Structure formats: C-alpha cells, structure tokens
Amino acid sequence: MTYRRLTMTDRKEGPDGEASVITKTRPKTQRPPMYKVLLLNDDYTPMEFVVHILERFFGLSHAQSFEIMLTVHKKGLAVVGVYSYEVAETKVAQVMDFARRHQHPLQCTMEKE
C-alpha cells in the first residue's frame, strides 16, 4: 500500500493554463521482527524465585507470574513475552544476571517469533 501526500508546491500549471498535480509515492515501512522471551525449567530454581523474576522484570501480576511459573514447571518452558530484539535481549540478560547472582541455574532465552 502506498500513500500520496500533496502540497501546494506540487501544483503545476500545464501549457493550457490548467492546474495539474504531481504526486509523490512513499513506500510503507515494515515493522521490525519480534522476539519471544522464553523461560526454561530446571530442577533446582525455586518456584518462588521464578515468580519473583516474572513480577520484577516482566511487570506481571502475582497471579500471572504464578500461572507462567506453573506452565514452565509442567511443560518445560513458557513464553514470557514478545518484544523487539533490543528489549528481548535486555530482558534475557537481566534475568540471567539476576539468577546467577542468586546462584540459580535458571535459563532464559529468546527466539524470533
């Protein structure tokens, strides 16, 4: 889909004295690709710690965090959110750093949507 924008400077007088309009076509910009942030299950990270991570870094409510934590526990992984590349990369780094500082083996990854 293309858009046309007209300005007064685009109006030109033809040889017969009638006004004609010159249009400029701008291509539609494409949205950047989005990335899913995933939490992976392990046998050592406490469930309460995972809930805390989800509340702190993803802004989820306690109930939402608890549901996602249970999904990770039962299914082995869960999508926590979908973000632009830079935001997803930052969230993965924050979670991994926080888990390491608290000596938990929690894994967080991202993949293209």
Side-chain angles (χ1 to χ4, degrees):
M1 172 182 245
T2 57
Y3 296 97
R4 292 184 228 179
R5 189 175 83 184
L6 304 176
T7 64
M8 291 307 289
T9 58
D10 292 330
R11 290 180 58 93
K12 303 287 183 194
E13 295 262 340
D16 55 359
E18 288 189 29
S20 62
V21 177
I22 299 172
T23 60
K24 296 178 183 176
T25 305
R26 294 189 326 202
K28 186 176 180 182
T29 57
Q30 193 173 2
R31 288 189 165 268
M34 300 299 278
Y35 290 81
K36 297 185 283 190
V37 174
L38 305 158
L39 274 184
L40 307 176
N41 188 40
D42 65 72
D43 294 331
Y44 303 102
T45 305
M47 293 179 176
E48 300 81 25
F49 185 78
V50 175
V51 170
H52 178 70
I53 290 263
L54 294 168
E55 291 173 345
R56 179 174 178 159
F57 296 108
F58 297 94
L60 300 173
S61 70
H62 185 76
Q64 291 170 318
S65 298
F66 192 81
E67 285 298 317
I68 291 174
M69 177 274 298
L70 285 179
T71 301
V72 171
H73 181 68
K74 292 176 183 175
K75 296 188 176 184
L77 65 89
V79 175
V80 181
V82 180
Y83 306 96
S84 67
Y85 180 82
E86 292 80 10
V87 173
E89 184 178 49
T90 300
K91 291 201 178 283
V92 168
Q94 288 173 329
V95 169
M96 295 295 290
D97 180 57
F98 192 74
R100 295 300 157 265
R101 284 189 282 130
H102 289 87
Q103 300 178 349
H104 294 299
L106 182 67
Q107 293 292 305
C108 185
T109 63
M110 60 189 260
E111 66 180 38
K112 200 169 190 176
E113 187 175 44

